[in-house]
């Protein structure tokens, strides 16, 4: 079955960077887009961007352009999200999620999710 | 401020039907049949329950259904059960922002 397993919780100081990993199993890694979504404590969901794990192509939500970097390592079926210049309001749970449709164009439906990674930004 | 507007909370007794609305604009909900709904229990990741306005992924109960009229989408849960108590989020493709979410609705089963 499809599984997405994320790296563990992180505590970072303002201005630092964080890199979260998402290891996929149970399907062909390069066959589906990956998205990243975050959720601040007690708040709603916020879409950050996607990566095409086959080509490495990316698209970011306007808010996150220049600030988030999505990458992948196909040899270990793992996607990464790196967020730089952290601020306190970046404290959130960060999720990776697989797109519902196979590679072509992303459908923006997230049918499998990682367990989430809590990133806490505090001085 | 979320791009899509949902009621903060709804409630219903077991067996009742409840509907959650999701109000957008002509650049998102009104422009595309790309509305989805997610269910999130406390401490868990969201779960896709509706996509393409009214399609259910395999394994999702047929008690969940979706619809859309103009700029507003709706999720209906027929015969609500205790296990349905959760937060529900709508989402839509957006001309400007690609993907936008609603602020979420907390369903309480009385």
């Amino acid at each position: 079955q499809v599984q997405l397993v994320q790296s563990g919780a992180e505590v970072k100081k303002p201005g630092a960077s964080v890199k979260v990993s998402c290891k996929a199993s149970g399907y062909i890694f390069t066959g589906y887009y990956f998205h990243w979504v975050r959720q601040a404590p007690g708040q709603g969901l916020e879409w950050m961007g996607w990566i095409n794990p086959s080509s490495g192509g990316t698209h970011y939500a306007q808010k996150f352009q220049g600030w988030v970097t999505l990458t992948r390592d196909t040899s270990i079926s793992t996607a990464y999200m790196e967020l730089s210049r952290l601020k306190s309001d970046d404290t959130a749970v960060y999720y990776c999620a697989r797109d519902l449709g196979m590679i072509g164009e992303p459908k923006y439906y997230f049918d499998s999710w990682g367990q989430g990674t809590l990133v806490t930004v505090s001085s | 401020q979320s791009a899509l507007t949902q009621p903060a909370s709804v409630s219903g007794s077991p067996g009742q039907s409840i509907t959650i609305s999701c109000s957008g604009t002509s650049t998102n909900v009104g422009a595309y049949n790309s509305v989805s709904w997610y269910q999130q229990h406390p401490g868990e990741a969201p779960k896709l329950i509706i996509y393409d306005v009214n399609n259910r992924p395999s394994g999702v109960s047929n008690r969940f259904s979706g619809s859309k009229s103009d700029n507003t989408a709706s999720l209906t849960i027929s015969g609500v059960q205790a296990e349905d108590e959760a937060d529900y989020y709508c989402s839509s493709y957006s001309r400007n922002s690609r993907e936008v979410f609603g602020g979420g609705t907390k369903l309480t089963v009385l």
Side-chain angles (χ1 to χ4, degrees):
Chain A
Q1 74 282 18
V2 176
Q3 262 199 314
L4 303 179
V5 179
Q6 298 182 222
S7 49
E10 303 262 13
V11 179
K12 295 292 184 180
K13 293 191 182 305
S17 298
V18 68
K19 191 170 186 177
V20 178
S21 68
C22 173
K23 182 170 178 58
S25 62
Y27 73 99
I28 299 173
F29 177 71
T30 53
Y32 297 80
Y33 285 82
F34 265 95
H35 299 261
W36 289 85
V37 176
R38 76 176 184 179
Q39 186 172 35
Q43 302 300 310
L45 303 170
E46 184 174 29
W47 179 76
M48 301 174 68
W50 57 250
I51 183 167
N52 178 334
S54 178
S55 67
T58 55
H59 181 83
Y60 303 104
Q62 188 171 12
K63 171 179 178 177
F64 294 99
Q65 285 177 2
W67 179 33
V68 169
T69 304
L70 302 183
T71 57
R72 92 292 188 219
D73 184 338
T74 58
S75 68
I76 56 172
S77 299
T78 299
Y80 302 93
M81 186 282 300
E82 184 169 19
L83 190 61
S84 60
R85 305 190 302 277
L86 290 167
K87 308 182 295 291
S88 58
D89 58 5
D90 293 320
T91 293
V93 175
Y94 289 78
Y95 292 102
C96 62
R98 192 188 76 161
D99 196 274
L100 177 66
M102 293 190 71
I103 287 289
E105 289 293 324
K107 294 191 180 302
Y108 294 90
Y109 300 137
F110 316 131
D111 71 338
S112 296
W113 294 66
Q115 82 276 20
T117 297
L118 175 61
V119 175
T120 302
V121 183
S122 174
S123 55
Chain B
Q1 186 85 5
S2 300
L4 307 180
T5 301
Q6 299 180 232
S9 63
V10 298
S11 62
S13 300
Q16 285 186 327
S17 289
I18 66 98
T19 296
I20 300 172
S21 62
C22 172
S23 178
T25 70
S26 58
T27 63
N28 43 59
V29 174
Y32 307 96
N33 287 323
S34 297
V35 175
S36 54
W37 290 88
Y38 297 85
Q39 177 193 61
Q40 186 178 34
H41 288 106
E44 296 184 5
K47 173 188 176 183
L48 179 67
I49 57 173
I50 295 286
Y51 67 97
D52 281 349
V53 177
N54 58 8
N55 286 327
R56 286 185 308 277
S58 174
V60 173
S61 171
N62 60 8
R63 297 185 297 103
F64 295 93
S65 62
S67 63
K68 191 188 85 163
S69 177
D70 297 327
N71 296 338
T72 300
S74 298
L75 172 71
T76 298
I77 308 175
S78 304
V80 72
Q81 301 177 358
E83 68 208 47
D84 299 331
E85 187 163 289
D87 293 328
Y88 292 84
Y89 293 92
C90 64
S91 182
S92 173
Y93 185 82
S94 167
R95 184 176 304 155
N96 303 323
S97 311
R98 293 303 172 98
E99 188 68 6
V100 290
F101 286 96
T105 299
K106 181 177 180 59
L107 169 62
T108 300
V109 180
L110 302 171

